[in-house]
C-alpha cells in the first residue's frame, strides 16, 4: 500500500510502499477512502506532545481521521463485516480497562494512538484492534468524507460543547480559534440552539464561522486577552456561559477564561505547542470569586457516537460542509506547511491515495 511517511520533523513526507498488516483475531483492515489532516498531526510533525509522553519514533506514519470500508476481519470479530462503512475514533481502545468498562473509552489506559503505536491513516489501508469496539458503523446517509471528520476534530468539538460544556439552548458559547475544531464547535453549538460568538484573527475564518451559525464574530488581532474577554462580555450581555479554547495557546486560554460570565465554564480542547509545553498560568482568584469551572475535553467516548451520527444522518449537523479541500496523499506536506502559517480553512482531507 502507499503510505505517507515522516522521516524527519518539519521536513517533507515521503510516499513509500509498505505491506498491509494482517488483522489480529479481534481486529480489522480498513480500506481508507478519506483521511483528514488534523492539527494533532501537525503537532506530531512539529515534534510537540513529548511532554505528554508521546515521543514519535521515526520513521512515522501519522493520520488519525479515517473514513473507509472494512476489507478484512479477524476470526473473533462479531458485529463488523467486510464491506461495512466505518469511522475509527483516534483513541483506539481495548474495551477492557476500567475506563472502557465505564464507557469512557476516550480515556483508555491502553489506548492505541495512530502514528505512535500503529501505522496511521495517511495510507491506503489501516489495521485496527478490537474492531467490534473501534469500528463505528456509519448510517446510510453518512458518507466517508463526513466520517473522516468524525474520527477526530468534529467529534472532539461535539464532546467539548455538548458533554463537557453542557451547553443549554439560549446560552452563549464563545469559541476561540476558528480552525477545524473551532468551526466544528461553532456549528455544533449553533445547532444546539446556543448563541455563538466566534473569535479568530482572520476574517475569512470568521466569515466561515458566520456561515456555520455564529451570531457575532470578533477579530482578536492586536487585542490583549483581557480586551478580547471584554469584547465578548459586551457582545453577550455579561459573558459567555461556555467558552472553548479550540486552539491551545496561552493567549487563547486567557481570552477564553476572560470571556466567561459568573459561573461560566471554560472547556480546553486544544493542545499547546512547544512555546508553552502545556504550562499556562491560571487566574486562580477569578476562578474562585466568579465560581468558574475549567474542564478538559479529549475525543468522544465510543457510546456517544450513536447520537452524533444520528444528528449527522438527519442533517442537523454537517461535518462535510467544513471540508474545504480534497487532496492527494502526496500533498500532505503542503497542507502541514500551510497549517504552520494558519493558512488552511476548515478540513483538508486526503481522498486520492493511488
Ligand atoms: Zn481501555
Ligand atoms: Zn486530531
Amino acid at each position: 500500500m502507499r503510505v505517507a511517511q515522516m522521516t524527519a520533523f518539519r521536513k517533507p513526507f515521503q510516499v513509500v510502499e509498505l505491506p498491509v498488516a494482517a488483522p489480529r483475531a479481534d481486529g480489522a483492515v480498513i480500506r481508507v477512502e478519506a483521511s483528514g489532516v488534523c492539527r494533532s498531526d501537525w503537532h506530531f510533525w512539529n515534534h510537540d506532545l513529548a511532554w505528554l509522553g508521546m515521543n514519535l519514533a521515526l520513521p512515522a506514519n501519522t493520520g488519525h481521521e479515517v473514513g473507509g470500508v472494512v476489507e478484512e476481519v479477524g476470526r473473533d470479530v462479531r458485529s463488523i463485516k467486510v464491506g461495512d462503512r466505518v469511522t475509527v475514533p483516534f483513541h483506539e481502545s481495548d474495551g477492557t480497562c476500567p475506563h472502557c468498562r465505564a464507557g469512557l473509552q476516550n480515556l483508555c489506559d491502553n489506548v492505541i494512538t495512530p502514528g505512535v503505536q500503529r501505522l496511521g491513516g495517511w495510507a491506503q489501508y489501516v489495521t485496527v484492534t478490537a474492531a467490534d469496539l473501534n469500528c463505528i458503523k456509519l448510517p446510510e446517509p453518512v458518507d466517508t468524507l463526513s466520517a473522516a471528520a468524525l474520527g477526530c476534530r468534529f467529534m472532539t468539538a461535539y464532546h467539548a460543547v455538548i458533554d463537557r460544556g453542557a451547553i443549554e439552548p439560549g446560552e452563549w458559547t464563545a469559541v476561540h480559534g476558528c480552525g477545524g475544531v473551532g468551526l466544528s464547535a461553532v456549528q455544533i453549538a449553533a445547532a444546539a440552539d446556543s448563541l455563538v460568538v466566534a473569535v479568530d484573527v482572520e476574517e475569512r475564518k470568521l466569515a466561515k464561522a458566520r456561515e456555520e451559525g455564529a451570531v457575532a464574530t470578533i477579530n482578536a488581532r492586536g487585542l490583549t486577552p483581557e480586551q478580547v474577554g471584554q469584547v465578548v462580555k459586551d457582545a453577550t450581555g455579561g459573558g459567555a456561559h461556555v467558552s472553548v479554547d479550540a486552539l491551545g495557546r496561552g493567549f487563547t486560554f486567557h481570552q477564553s477564561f476572560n470571556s466567561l460570565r459568573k459561573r461560566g465554564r471554560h472547556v480546553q480542547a486544544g493542545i499547546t505547542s512547544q512555546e508553552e509545553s502545556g504550562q499556562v498560568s491560571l487566574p486562580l482568584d477569578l476562578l474562585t470569586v466568579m465560581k468558574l469551572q475549567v474542564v478538559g475535553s479529549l475525543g468522544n467516548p465510543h457510546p456517544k457516537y450513536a447520537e452524533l451520527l444520528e444528528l449527522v444522518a438527519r442533517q442537523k449537523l454537517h461535518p462535510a460542509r467544513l471540508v474545504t479541500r480534497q487532496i492527494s496523499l502526496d500533498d500532505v506536506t503542503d497542507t502541514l506547511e500551510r497549517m504552520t502559517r494558519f493558512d488552511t480553512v476548515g478540513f483538508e482531507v486526503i481522498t486520492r491515495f493511488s
Side-chain angles (χ1 to χ4, degrees):
M1 63 172 177
R2 296 183 83 231
V3 178
Q5 190 168 69
M6 188 195 312
T7 53
F9 297 107
R10 303 185 204 95
K11 293 285 190 296
F13 274 66
Q14 313 293 328
V15 174
V16 298
E17 286 281 340
L18 291 176
V20 180
R24 290 190 340 195
D26 70 348
V29 176
I30 296 159
R31 178 169 50 78
V32 181
E33 289 191 341
S35 189
V37 182
C38 176
R39 187 154 290 276
S40 4
D41 296 309
W42 179 89
H43 279 301
F44 279 126
W45 184 61
N46 200 44
H47 206 183
D48 293 340
L49 305 169
W51 52 91
L52 291 176
M54 285 194 271
N55 251 321
L56 203 64
L58 299 179
N61 311 86
T62 49
H64 58 277
E65 290 190 329
V66 164
V69 179
V70 175
E71 183 89 1
E72 185 184 350
V73 296
R75 64 176 184 277
D76 295 343
V77 174
R78 293 289 170 264
S79 61
I80 297 298
K81 307 266 185 301
V82 171
D84 283 347
R85 297 179 318 108
V86 298
T87 187
V88 181
F90 73 84
H91 37 71
E92 187 180 317
S93 313
D94 62 2
T96 59
C97 78
H99 296 296
C100 283
R101 291 205 303 274
L104 297 171
Q105 294 83 355
N106 52 331
L107 297 178
C108 179
D109 286 335
N110 303 303
V111 70
I112 292 176
T113 303
V116 182
Q117 285 98 355
R118 71 158 165 84
L119 296 191
W122 297 349
Q124 289 179 298
Y125 297 89
V126 293
T127 302
V128 303
T129 60
D132 285 327
L133 174 66
N134 292 310
C135 292
I136 309 270
K137 277 194 240 185
L138 303 175
E140 193 50 49
V142 180
D143 60 14
T144 42
L145 196 59
S146 304
L150 294 168
C152 180
R153 283 171 286 185
F154 202 83
M155 60 86 142
T156 293
Y158 185 80
H159 187 52
V161 169
I162 301 297
D163 300 324
R164 302 298 282 153
I167 190 71
E168 295 284 341
E171 289 189 331
W172 284 96
T173 302
V175 177
H176 298 266
C178 292
V181 171
L183 288 172
S184 301
V186 168
Q187 187 191 108
I188 291 161
D193 294 324
S194 174
L195 300 159
V196 181
V197 185
V199 183
D200 201 279
V201 293
E202 285 191 42
E203 280 303 325
R204 59 195 177 127
K205 294 179 187 173
L206 295 172
K208 182 68 174 161
R210 286 190 290 275
E211 279 177 35
E212 296 302 333
V215 296
T217 53
I218 295 165
N219 192 326
R221 190 176 293 277
L223 301 182
T224 65
E226 291 74 19
Q227 287 170 327
V228 173
Q230 191 56 52
V231 178
V232 173
K233 283 178 175 148
D234 293 344
T236 57
H241 299 82
V242 172
S243 189
V244 180
D245 177 1
L247 176 61
R249 294 285 169 92
F251 68 88
T252 45
F253 168 72
H254 286 120
Q255 280 178 197
S256 174
F257 192 88
N258 284 300
S259 300
L260 293 170
R261 68 176 59 205
K262 290 176 182 172
R263 300 175 66 223
R265 310 178 290 282
H266 165 86
V267 183
Q268 187 63 39
I271 297 271
T272 67
S273 301
Q274 286 175 28
E275 294 87 338
E276 283 138 348
S277 303
Q279 300 297 322
V280 173
S281 68
L282 174 68
L284 196 59
D285 293 336
L286 281 179
L287 180 91
T288 304
V289 300
M290 294 176 70
K291 284 185 67 173
L292 304 176
Q293 294 181 55
V294 174
V295 299
S297 193
L298 175 75
N300 185 45
H302 293 45
K304 299 293 289 187
Y305 265 92
E307 65 185 45
L308 171 54
L309 286 168
E310 172 77 13
L311 290 166
V312 178
R314 286 167 44 212
Q315 303 203 356
K316 301 285 183 195
L317 294 175
H318 306 271
R321 203 163 68 194
L322 300 174
V323 177
T324 54
R325 189 183 291 206
Q326 296 184 40
I327 65 170
S328 136
L329 193 61
D330 303 272
D331 297 337
V332 292
T333 308
D334 172 66
T335 297
L336 290 168
E337 286 173 345
R338 283 183 290 110
M339 290 174 90
T340 299
R341 305 191 297 272
F342 291 96
D343 195 22
T344 57
V345 180
F347 303 149
E348 301 203 354
V349 178
I350 304 163
T351 53
R352 297 187 302 279
F353 293 86
S354 54

